[in-house]
């Protein structure tokens, strides 16, 4: 996919992430072993000077320190429905997980919880677009592309910071 034009590896307490950017903003952020990882990207490595990837690294440092942060410009590639779902994830407050059903209701798509779940699982920007904040109807930790242990750790971090 030619959407990505530059990449950078970023170390985090939960393992390294590969950050990718497009011409318009952050287009991907993946843990090495997560589901839907695109694999090796055929784009150059950032020399450390790219403003979007630097803002991404700064946001992750602040996030893992429990501090407020500013999101870099976002440009995930997906269908219009997927992008609508990913945008809605940004409204879920840290320490306040939402259910798939509640998220579908907020989007006016109460009957689309299953499709919404698939879109959440395909979120290409881990951590910063908080798909980890979506839980099962009974509050259980349902699937997370980065692994349930990471989901649990992210939610614990946010609960402690809240």
């Amino acid at each position: 996919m030619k959407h990505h034009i530059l990449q950078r590896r970023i170390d985090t307490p939960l393992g390294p992430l590969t950050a990718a950017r497009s011409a318009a903003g952050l287009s991907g952020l993946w843990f090495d072993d997560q589901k839907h990882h695109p694999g090796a990207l055929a784009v150059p490595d950032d020399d450390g000077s790219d403003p979007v990837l630097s803002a991404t690294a700064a946001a992750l440092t602040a996030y893992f320190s429990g501090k407020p942060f500013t999101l870099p410009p976002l440009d995930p590639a997906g269908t219009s429905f997927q992008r609508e779902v990913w945008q809605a994830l940004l409204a879920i407050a840290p320490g306040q997980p939402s259910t798939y059903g509640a998220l579908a209701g907020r989007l006016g798509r109460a009957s689309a919880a299953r499709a919404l779940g698939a879109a959440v699982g395909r979120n290409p920007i881990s951590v910063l677009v908080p798909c980890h904040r979506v839980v099962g109807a009974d509050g259980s930790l349902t699937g997370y592309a980065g692994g349930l242990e990471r989901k649990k750790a992210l939610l614990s971090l946010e609960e402690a910071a809240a």
Side-chain angles (χ1 to χ4, degrees):
M1 168 184 265
K2 191 59 185 148
H3 189 67
H4 311 297
I5 61 168
L6 197 62
Q7 66 180 325
R8 182 191 291 187
R9 297 281 288 165
I10 301 171
D11 289 324
T12 77
L14 298 181
L17 288 160
T18 296
R21 72 158 299 167
S22 68
L26 182 66
S27 53
L29 189 60
W30 306 275
F31 288 106
D32 288 352
D33 55 353
Q34 84 175 50
K35 282 175 75 175
H36 312 299
H37 189 296
L41 300 175
V43 299
D45 289 322
D46 175 39
D47 64 7
S49 65
D50 183 76
V52 170
L53 296 177
S54 293
T56 300
L60 287 166
T61 297
Y63 173 84
F64 282 108
S65 300
K67 297 182 173 131
F69 60 89
T70 301
L71 281 173
L74 302 177
D75 187 33
T79 67
S80 58
F81 176 72
Q82 287 173 323
R83 289 193 315 266
E84 178 185 5
V85 170
W86 301 333
Q87 186 64 39
L89 293 172
L90 295 170
I92 304 172
Q96 307 286 318
S98 181
T99 65
Y100 292 94
L103 190 57
R106 275 200 300 280
L107 288 172
R109 298 173 180 263
S111 63
R114 191 173 299 265
L116 180 133
V120 168
R122 286 287 193 169
N123 170 28
I125 302 177
S126 296
V127 184
L128 298 181
V129 176
C131 55
H132 59 275
R133 294 183 190 148
V134 184
V135 298
D138 61 359
S140 62
L141 298 187
T142 56
Y144 177 61
L148 286 180
E149 285 305 309
R150 283 192 183 114
K151 182 172 186 162
K152 191 181 304 182
L154 292 167
L155 291 172
S156 294
L157 174 76
E158 292 176 359
E159 195 174 286

